């Protein structure tokens, strides 16, 4: 049987962890009461022993006394504690609960401390519920440029709903149903007024945010279509034109808003039920330790509190299900539940088996490759340079990609182990998102194929085949990889492959629209998109971040020039630019990206909130990041090495940089997750594609 503490830790919402009952702290108070009672029991036992001079005996009246005391405790159980309700301050409607002990306990100090802590936990939940309404769950409206929009009036409105009055009535019913459950809408029409001609006075404008290249192109073509085609029609009085594609995009966005609203309501329901069970469990433990029945009266107060007794969340979930089933699933509830409650795919042990299989194949093939390379003298100083100049660089790129996949799999494993909600941060779909076992499977499969191609290349080379023919093997491997990446069939993780292609497309087209967190994170693995984020958010920190990458590029360019022009002038330039860039990068890594080096933190020179329990890991990571950041020193040391050794050293330094970025990824996402925790951000704010306009 799983302990409730582990069950609570596994089920609580990570972003709302601070708002939950601190069950573990309350267990510590229970342990103190138990230890105090054991000490007092030993003390009484020792005192009775001295009083009786070591002679023990039983009285015939002892059973009668035991039954009488038990009956007395049962009758007075309800009056052991009294939970009183008080107002916090004058003019403040927030009420708090305070427990008073109506009966003296033998462990009075520990019991009083326990109930004081219990009152704080209950008041924390009640006050947080009142001060933090569910407005963060409701999708926010979006007010865009008026040119990228369509609106409906007159015939256009009739085309959408068929009957303006019926549409208005139905919309009013939906809004009223949600408002009855405490949901407020931004920029929502309270009523559908009409003009003198009987047309709706307030119409809804459809605005689709240009968040992807496809939407950007659609917005431009829509504007041209409206200017060249629709405006003459409007002037001739033929009515308004409604862009059907925008209606489809709007429907998709509204569907996503309903799904996110339903998910947020489900989190609230989980929050309420887990806290209720936590109170019941901890009070049951108190009764067991103290040999009293004091939990009944306190548990009644908890059950009468609004966050337990209210059924508003359940009723709102039912209404969302009803609306979604009717308008987005053609009254098919089973289909609607696939969107509202998506089932996560179960992890298969076959994946683990194939990871082990391909790992063994990779190790075996790599040993074979090392033996063949040694026998053929491919890495000797007097070998021909064709292999190192043409074949080896391509295989090195594949190896670096596999190392990047391996580091990503390690990141996924650590994020899952520490309950960092990376799916929410990256906006991945939980049922199709790549898991760490899948990442390891991709890595081992890809690396096995690469090493197998390298072995085949050496075998054909040793068999006397023409180098011009066998040197095409890396190109064939690259072509197969590209074909597999863009394969339209639902095999080999198609959602992940297409998600990767979309991210790369978004990075390339980032000057034309706002980038998302996952795009920015992937771009940090290559080169950053800080300029675009500054343009979107007007935050000077992004310009400063861009300066970090510019300094790194200047330093890299200076080092490249120094390899061709070795003189003291360029050595000085390399030294100055590299030192400045390294200090800039280390400061940004530790302070901005990781949130470390806070002198006032309760964790010295780290941050207040840490996910890993062992603080020494953070200090080791800081030292490791410094070492990996100054790896550029090797490029100015001017070691006398051969061409083969220089190629291998270059590959080794590139591998260290990939490892550094994988190491950086964990702490960067940890800091982002803690930012969401501090803001209780557990659901997305989905923009709604409408805004109102008045025809008058």
């Amino acid at each position: 049987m799983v302990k409730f503490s582990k069950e609570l830790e596994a089920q609580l919402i990570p972003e709302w962890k601070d708002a939950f009952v601190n069950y573990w702290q309350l267990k510590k108070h229970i342990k103190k009461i138990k230890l105090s009672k054991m000490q007092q029991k030993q003390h009484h036992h020792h005192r009775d022993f001295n009083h009786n001079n070591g002679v023990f005996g039983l009285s015939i009246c002892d059973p009668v006394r035991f039954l009488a005391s038990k009956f007395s405790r049962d009758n007075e159980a309800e009056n052991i504690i009294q939970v009183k309700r008080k107002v916090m301050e004058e003019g403040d409607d927030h009420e708090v609960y305070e427990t008073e002990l109506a009966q003296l306990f033998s462990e009075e100090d520990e019991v009083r401390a326990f109930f004081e802590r219990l009152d704080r936990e209950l008041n924390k939940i009640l006050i947080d519920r009142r001060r933090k309404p569910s407005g963060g769950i409701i999708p926010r409206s979006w007010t865009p440029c008026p040119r990228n929009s369509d609106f409906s009036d007159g015939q256009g409105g009739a085309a959408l709903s068929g009957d303006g009055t019926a549409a208005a009535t139905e919309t009013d019913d939906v809004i009223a149903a949600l408002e009855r459950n405490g949901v407020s809408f931004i920029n929502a029409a309270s009523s559908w007024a009409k003009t003198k001609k009987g047309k709706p006075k307030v119409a809804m404008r459809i605005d689709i945010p240009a968040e992807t290249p496809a939407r950007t192109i659609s917005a431009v073509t829509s504007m041209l279509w409206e200017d060249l085609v629709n405006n003459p029609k409007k002037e001739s009085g033929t009515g308004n034109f409604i862009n059907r594609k925008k209606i489809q995009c709007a429907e998709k966005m509204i569907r996503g808003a309903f799904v996110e609203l339903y998910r947020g309501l489900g989190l609230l329901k989980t929050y309420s039920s887990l806290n209720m069970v936590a109170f019941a469990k901890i009070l049951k433990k108190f009764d067991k330790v103290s040999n009293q029945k004091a939990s009944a009266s306190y548990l009644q107060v908890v059950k009468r509190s609004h966050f337990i007794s209210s059924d508003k969340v359940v009723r709102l979930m039912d209404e969302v299900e009803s609306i979604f089933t009717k308008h987005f699933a053609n009254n098919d509830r089973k289909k609607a539940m696939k969107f509202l409650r998506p089932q996560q795919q179960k992890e298969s042990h076959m994946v683990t088996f194939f990871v082990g299989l391909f790992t063994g194949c990779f190790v075996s093939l790599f040993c074979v490759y090392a033996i063949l390379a040694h026998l053929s003298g491919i890495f000797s100083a007097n070998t021909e340079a064709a292999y190192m100049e043409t074949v080896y660089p391509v295989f090195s790129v594949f190896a670096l990609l596999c190392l990047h996949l391996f580091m990503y799999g390690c990141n996924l494993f650590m994020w899952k182990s520490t309950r960092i909600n990376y799916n929410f941060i990256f906006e991945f779909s939980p049922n199709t998102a790549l898991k760490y076992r899948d990442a390891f499977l991709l890595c081992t499969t890809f690396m096995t194929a690469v090493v197998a191609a390298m072995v085949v290349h050496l075998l054909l080379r040793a068999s006397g085949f023409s180098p011009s023919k066998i040197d095409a093997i890396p190109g064939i491997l690259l072509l197969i990889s590209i074909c597999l990446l863009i394969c339209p069939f639902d095999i080999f993780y198609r959602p992940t492959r297409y998600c990767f292609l979309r991210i790369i497309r978004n990075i390339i087209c980032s000057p034309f629209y706002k980038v998302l967190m996952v795009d920015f994170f992937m771009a940090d693995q290559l080169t950053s998109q800080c300029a675009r984020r500054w343009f979107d958010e007007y935050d000077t920190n992004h310009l400063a971040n861009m300066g970090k990458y510019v300094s790194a590029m200047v330093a890299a360019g200076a080092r490249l020039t120094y390899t061709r022009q070795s003189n003291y002038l360029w050595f000085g330039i390399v030294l100055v630019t590299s030192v400045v860039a390294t200090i800039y990068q280390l400061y940004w890594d530790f302070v901005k990206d990781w949130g470390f080096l806070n002198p006032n933190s309760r964790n010295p020179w780290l941050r207040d909130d840490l996910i890993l329990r062992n603080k020494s890991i953070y200090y080791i990571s800081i030292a490791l990041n410094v070492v990996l950041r100054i790896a550029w020193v090797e490029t100015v040391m001017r070691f006398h090495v051969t061409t083969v050794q220089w190629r291998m050293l270059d590959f080794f330094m590139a591998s260290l940089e990939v490892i550094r970025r994988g190491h950086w990824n964990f702490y960067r996402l940890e800091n982002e997750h803690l930012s969401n925790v501090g803001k209780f951000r557990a659901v997305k704010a989905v923009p709604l594609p409408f805004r109102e306009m008045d025809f008058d």
Side-chain angles (χ1 to χ4, degrees):
M1 183 177 179
V2 181
K3 291 185 177 181
F4 176 72
S5 57
K6 294 184 179 180
E7 182 181 350
L8 176 62
E9 187 175 7
Q11 294 185 12
L12 61 79
I13 299 106
E15 291 79 5
W16 296 353
K17 185 176 182 179
D18 294 339
F20 276 84
V21 176
N22 196 334
Y23 184 79
W24 300 270
Q25 193 66 32
L26 292 172
K27 282 183 65 177
K28 291 181 180 179
H29 285 281
I30 295 292
K31 189 175 182 180
K32 290 180 180 178
I33 297 174
K34 185 177 181 180
L35 291 175
S36 177
K37 189 171 182 179
M38 291 177 61
Q39 292 174 0
Q40 292 185 7
K41 186 176 180 180
Q42 292 177 358
H43 175 71
H44 290 315
H45 176 74
H46 182 69
R47 186 184 62 185
D48 294 340
F49 179 80
N50 293 333
H51 179 73
N52 296 326
N53 294 323
V55 179
F56 294 94
L58 297 176
S59 172
I60 194 171
C61 299
D62 285 346
V64 179
R65 294 193 188 102
F66 175 77
L67 293 175
S69 61
K70 187 176 185 302
F71 181 75
S72 176
R73 285 199 304 265
D74 291 342
N75 290 336
E76 296 177 358
E78 298 295 331
N79 300 321
I80 291 178
I81 62 173
Q82 294 179 359
V83 184
K84 295 184 179 181
R85 189 166 51 183
K86 296 182 179 180
V87 179
M88 291 180 62
E89 297 177 0
E90 294 183 1
D92 194 349
D93 59 346
H94 294 161
E95 296 177 344
V96 297
Y97 290 92
E98 183 176 342
T99 303
E100 295 182 357
L101 302 181
Q103 174 182 319
L104 293 179
F105 289 80
S106 58
E107 312 84 12
E108 183 177 358
D109 294 337
E110 289 77 9
V111 172
R112 193 179 302 278
F114 168 75
F115 278 104
E116 287 177 356
R117 181 73 189 196
L118 194 65
D119 291 339
R120 287 201 300 269
E121 296 299 327
L122 178 59
N123 295 328
K124 176 184 70 175
I125 293 174
L126 296 178
I127 295 174
D128 285 348
R129 178 194 61 80
R130 293 182 178 120
R131 291 181 179 176
K132 295 182 178 68
S134 59
I137 298 174
I138 305 305
R140 54 181 169 87
S141 62
W142 186 77
T143 306
C145 173
R147 290 298 302 273
N148 182 25
S149 61
D150 289 339
F151 62 90
S152 59
D153 69 344
Q155 296 178 2
L160 280 175
S161 61
D163 184 6
T165 304
T169 304
E170 184 176 354
T171 304
D172 287 340
D173 292 340
V174 173
I175 293 177
L178 295 177
E179 287 180 345
R180 285 197 305 269
N181 290 274
V183 181
S184 59
F185 290 87
I186 303 174
N187 294 336
S190 58
S191 63
W192 286 61
K194 295 185 178 181
T195 61
K196 296 180 180 179
K197 297 181 180 180
K199 295 181 179 180
K201 185 177 181 180
V202 179
M204 194 68 72
R205 183 185 291 271
I206 301 178
D207 293 304
I208 306 299
E211 295 179 347
T212 61
R215 288 185 179 178
T216 305
I217 297 173
S218 177
V220 175
T221 55
S222 176
M223 287 190 296
L224 294 175
W225 184 262
E226 289 178 4
D227 292 338
L228 299 178
V229 180
N230 296 337
N231 285 341
K233 291 184 179 181
K234 292 178 182 178
E235 294 175 359
S236 61
T238 57
N240 292 312
F241 177 81
I242 298 177
N243 193 324
R244 190 176 299 274
K245 289 185 178 179
K246 285 193 174 182
I247 296 176
Q248 294 175 352
C249 290
E251 180 182 358
K252 185 177 180 180
M253 293 177 67
I254 297 172
R255 182 180 64 192
F258 269 105
V259 171
E260 203 63 26
L261 171 61
Y262 189 83
R263 177 175 173 270
L265 294 172
L267 294 180
L268 284 177
K269 184 179 178 182
T270 302
Y271 172 77
S272 175
S273 61
L274 284 179
N275 280 320
M276 180 61 209
V277 176
F279 276 114
K281 292 286 185 179
I282 202 65
L283 287 170
K284 184 178 179 180
K285 285 181 177 293
F286 173 79
D287 287 349
K288 183 178 180 180
V289 171
S290 62
N291 292 328
Q292 301 288 348
K293 294 184 179 179
S295 63
S297 58
Y298 200 99
L299 204 57
Q300 288 299 323
V301 174
V302 176
K303 290 181 179 180
R304 287 196 300 266
S305 59
H306 188 73
F307 86 99
I308 293 296
S309 60
S310 176
D311 63 341
K312 183 181 293 186
V313 172
V314 177
R315 287 190 287 110
L316 187 53
M317 290 182 69
D318 293 338
E319 294 196 32
V320 171
E321 289 182 9
S322 176
I323 294 172
F324 193 91
T325 303
K326 179 179 179 182
H327 295 282
F328 297 99
N330 295 326
N331 293 320
D332 187 351
R333 192 176 185 278
K334 185 177 180 181
K335 180 180 178 182
M337 288 299 104
K338 290 182 179 180
F339 288 96
L340 297 176
R341 298 178 186 174
Q343 299 293 330
Q344 294 188 5
Q345 295 181 353
K346 295 182 180 180
E347 297 183 358
S348 174
H349 294 291
M350 290 297 295
V351 176
T352 306
F353 169 76
F354 281 112
V355 168
L357 176 64
F358 286 119
T359 301
C361 293
F362 161 68
V363 173
S364 302
L365 288 172
F366 185 80
C367 293
V368 172
Y369 174 77
I371 295 173
L372 291 177
H374 176 72
L375 294 177
S376 60
I378 203 68
F379 294 116
S380 60
N382 56 357
T383 188
E384 57 185 27
Y387 182 83
M388 300 302 297
E389 296 295 333
T390 58
V391 179
Y392 181 77
V394 178
F395 284 137
S396 300
V397 171
F398 281 119
L400 291 176
L401 289 176
C402 293
L403 181 59
H404 225 308
L405 265 175
F406 175 76
M407 294 302 299
Y408 182 63
C410 294
N411 286 329
L412 291 178
F413 174 76
M414 288 299 300
W415 290 334
K416 181 181 179 181
S417 301
T418 55
R419 300 209 65 199
I420 294 177
N421 197 353
Y422 62 92
N423 284 334
F424 172 71
I425 296 174
F426 291 145
E427 300 185 15
F428 289 159
S429 177
N431 55 341
T432 59
L434 198 69
K435 299 177 178 60
Y436 72 91
R437 288 188 179 90
D438 301 321
F440 288 145
L441 178 59
L442 289 173
C443 170
T444 53
T445 303
F446 195 30
M447 201 60 211
T448 301
V450 171
V451 178
M454 296 169 67
V455 170
V456 170
H457 181 272
L458 285 183
L459 289 175
L460 294 178
R461 184 186 181 91
S463 300
F465 284 84
S466 173
S468 59
K469 295 181 179 179
I470 62 175
D471 286 350
I473 292 179
I476 296 174
L477 181 62
L478 178 62
L479 182 62
I480 294 175
S481 302
I482 294 176
C483 293
L484 187 60
L485 183 64
I486 63 176
C487 177
F489 301 108
D490 192 8
I491 56 173
F492 207 62
Y493 302 103
R494 185 180 68 174
T496 301
R497 291 188 284 109
Y498 278 26
C499 178
F500 174 76
L501 292 175
R502 284 194 301 269
I503 293 172
I504 297 299
R505 177 203 64 184
N506 295 345
I507 293 175
I508 296 174
C509 303
S510 60
F512 303 106
Y513 63 94
K514 184 176 181 179
V515 295
L516 303 176
M517 175 62 189
V518 63
D519 306 329
F520 186 72
F521 192 84
M522 177 61 75
D524 277 344
Q525 314 303 312
L526 307 172
T527 55
S528 183
Q529 288 172 330
C530 306
R532 177 66 209 191
R533 295 200 71 181
W534 170 79
F535 179 80
D536 293 331
E537 303 174 11
Y538 298 101
D539 188 353
T540 55
N541 284 327
H542 296 309
L543 284 181
N545 194 13
M546 184 178 68
K548 179 192 71 172
Y549 287 96
V550 171
S551 65
M553 293 177 185
V554 172
R559 290 195 293 268
L560 182 62
T561 306
Y562 177 67
T563 57
R564 300 178 181 178
Q565 302 179 16
S566 329
N567 53 51
Y568 290 106
L569 175 62
W570 277 108
F571 178 77
I573 294 175
V574 167
L575 195 61
V576 171
T577 56
S578 298
V579 169
V580 171
T582 301
I583 295 175
Y584 202 161
Q585 291 165 350
L586 289 175
Y587 168 79
W588 204 268
D589 286 345
F590 298 146
V591 178
K592 298 296 183 179
D593 291 337
W594 294 2
F596 291 166
L597 302 185
N598 183 4
N600 300 321
S601 172
R602 59 174 175 261
N603 302 307
W605 297 104
L606 298 177
R607 63 171 102 88
D608 289 338
D609 298 322
L610 300 175
I611 290 183
L612 300 179
R613 297 180 179 178
N614 192 350
K615 297 180 185 179
S616 59
I617 297 178
Y618 292 96
Y619 297 110
I620 294 174
S621 297
I622 290 175
L624 179 61
N625 190 66
V626 172
V627 172
L628 294 177
R629 278 291 190 185
I630 62 175
W632 56 266
V633 175
E634 178 272 333
T635 60
V636 298
M637 296 296 292
R638 308 296 296 174
F639 294 114
H640 297 286
V641 294
T642 62
T643 303
V644 175
Q645 294 173 339
W646 178 78
R647 285 286 185 181
M648 297 183 67
L649 185 61
D650 191 35
F651 173 75
F652 176 73
M653 299 303 296
S655 301
L656 289 181
E657 178 61 19
V658 172
I659 294 173
R660 186 199 65 80
R661 297 190 182 197
H663 173 255
W664 174 89
N665 289 342
F666 172 78
Y667 296 102
R668 174 65 183 89
L669 213 68
E670 179 194 20
N671 194 28
E672 185 72 19
H673 173 76
L674 291 175
S675 176
N676 291 337
V677 171
K679 299 176 182 178
F680 296 94
R681 189 188 302 151
V683 290
K684 296 185 294 183
V686 182
L688 294 178
F690 302 120
R691 74 182 178 94
E692 297 166 3
M693 61 176 298
D694 196 333
F695 285 106
D696 290 344

